[in-house]
Amino acid sequence: MSALDLDDFSDLIERPDGKVRRAAEERRTRLSVSSGALGRLDVLGEWLSAAQSAVPVAPVRRPRVVLFAGDHGVAEAGVSRRPAGGAAALVRAVLEGTAPVAVLARAQDVPVRVVDLSLDCDPAELPAEVTRHRVRRSSGRIDREDALTIEEAEAAVRAGMAVADEEADAGTDLVVLGDVSVGGTTAAGTLVAALCGVDASVVTGRGGEPVDDLTWMRKCAAIRDALRRARPVLGDQLALLAAVGGADLAATTGFLLQCAVRRTPVILDGVVSAACALVAQRAAFRAPDWWLAGHTSGEPAQAKALDRMALEPLLDQGVRLGEGLGALLALPLVRAAASLTGELPERAETAAG
């Protein structure tokens, strides 16, 4: 029996400071640019003020990309264009600086951290700082077996919590969250279908590298079969992550919850982070107030999860890749909101008064 109860997070998480947000809204009315002229940038700036408990809002100075990595046994069912066990190659591309998220992060001068929870490779093939939180080698094939044992699920959630604490202690003031996985969108679709009470076909998308119709049907069937394992444990988030999530998804869930505890705002990426956020919301209803939806990925499960959490994506650029790229694209928008909200002067008459 696990000693970890995710429902305990409900008592640990508070919403961003409402009084500070109202003060930020009031200050906005005095700025030189009229209210409403900046559109959603006004709302973003006020959200950041509340998250920081600061008026005026401070610049986002120390953002960081955090990518949770893992392989999923369900990829063996032919649900992806990528080969089963192929996530380690994607991680190497990130570490070597050739992956799209690494290129964009370098252009924005944002550090990237990769955390291996369940890659299907020898840990000696990767740097120790990447593999030190690994729980197991690949997660179980969820259409036939549980992804994890309860003990492994708890270890993964705690690993995610530890990473959140490490980032908060290091001074990270905004996290750009993503995943590096093969088969992860199938697990994510299963979680969303289970939590939203819909059929597999409603949440089955085409993935980061769009699949053909036959592969889509195999993916839909895998989610349908996995749902039979998910539905009996819907009342227990940890058991749900063990049954149909995987180590990387369990860690992402723990990370999101602990970031909310530590008052660290997070930009969500695609369907995987949205699915984990939905699990986390079931444990702590205030937690989504600390998250932004970076972009819409075109995955139906992501749209379903974000709608359930009332999170509106900041961007729609048709980016389907995953790996944190869409969330990182949204970072300049968030930084722009902070700069404009924090640095625009007040109107002369209000400043004089």
Side-chain angles (χ1 to χ4, degrees), residues 24 46 51 69 89 127 130 132 134 145-146 155 210 215 288 294 320 322 352:
E46 292 158 3
V130 172
R132 65 187 177 92
R134 180 183 284 197
E145 61 183 351
D146 286 352
T215 306
R320 306 176 63 93

Side-chain angles (χ1 to χ4, degrees), residues 24-342:
E25 292 170 352
E26 194 276 331
R27 181 179 183 276
R28 179 66 189 89
T29 65
R30 304 194 303 270
L31 297 185
S32 57
V33 176
S34 60
S35 295
L38 297 178
R40 289 186 67 188
L41 293 176
D42 281 341
V43 177
L44 273 177
E46 292 158 3
W47 175 81
L48 276 173
S49 270
Q52 297 174 353
S53 293
V55 179
V57 64
V60 177
R61 300 188 188 279
R62 300 188 67 178
R64 189 175 180 99
V65 177
V66 177
L67 305 175
F68 288 95
D71 279 296
H72 293 259
V74 72
E76 297 170 4
V79 299
S80 173
R81 285 181 59 185
R82 291 167 172 161
L90 302 176
V91 166
R92 291 188 193 98
V94 174
L95 298 177
E96 292 165 1
T98 59
V101 68
V103 171
L104 187 59
R106 188 162 57 246
Q108 296 190 37
D109 195 25
V110 179
V112 178
R113 178 179 185 181
V114 181
V115 185
D116 166 21
L117 273 301
S118 55
L119 291 174
D120 190 9
C121 69
D122 187 334
E125 297 175 14
L126 296 169
E129 64 267 22
V130 172
T131 61
R132 65 187 177 92
H133 288 293
R134 180 183 284 197
V135 170
R136 58 178 282 170
R137 184 164 177 163
S138 189
S139 294
R141 183 170 167 173
I142 59 173
D143 59 332
R144 296 181 177 179
E145 61 183 351
D146 286 352
L148 308 165
T149 66
I150 284 289
E151 292 76 18
E152 289 169 340
E154 177 174 348
V157 170
R158 291 191 185 279
M161 293 166 58
V163 172
D165 284 333
E166 289 164 8
E167 292 302 324
D169 293 342
T172 299
D173 55 7
L174 181 71
V175 172
V176 176
L177 179 63
D179 70 284
V180 184
S181 64
V182 174
T185 62
T186 302
T190 304
L191 288 171
V192 174
L195 292 169
C196 292
V198 297
D199 293 334
S201 60
V202 175
V203 298
T204 305
R206 299 281 176 169
E209 295 188 9
V211 300
D212 58 23
D213 290 345
L214 181 59
T215 306
W216 182 89
M217 287 188 285
R218 288 196 293 262
K219 184 174 182 178
C220 189
I223 292 176
R224 178 201 63 207
D225 292 344
L227 280 171
R228 299 190 182 112
R229 182 169 290 100
R231 290 183 179 122
V233 292
L234 273 177
D236 184 334
Q237 290 84 28
L238 190 66
L240 180 65
L241 291 166
V244 298
D248 52 337
L249 274 67
T252 302
T253 303
F255 178 83
L256 282 165
L257 287 167
Q258 190 64 12
C259 278
V261 172
R262 297 297 302 270
R263 306 179 71 85
T264 305
V266 177
I267 305 178
L268 306 175
D269 187 42
V271 61
V272 171
S273 57
C276 296
L278 191 60
V279 177
Q281 183 205 37
R282 287 287 290 257
F285 67 94
R286 302 181 189 90
D289 289 352
W290 293 95
W291 311 327
L292 295 172
H295 76 125
T296 178
S297 66
E299 285 284 314
Q302 185 210 25
K304 182 71 69 175
L306 295 182
D307 180 67
R308 182 60 64 96
M309 294 183 289
L311 294 176
E312 183 179 355
L314 297 177
L315 298 174
D316 183 359
Q317 296 296 315
V319 174
R320 306 176 63 93
L321 181 63
E323 301 175 23
L325 181 63
L328 188 54
L329 281 170
L331 177 60
L333 195 64
V334 178
R335 283 179 138 170
S339 296
L340 290 167
T341 305

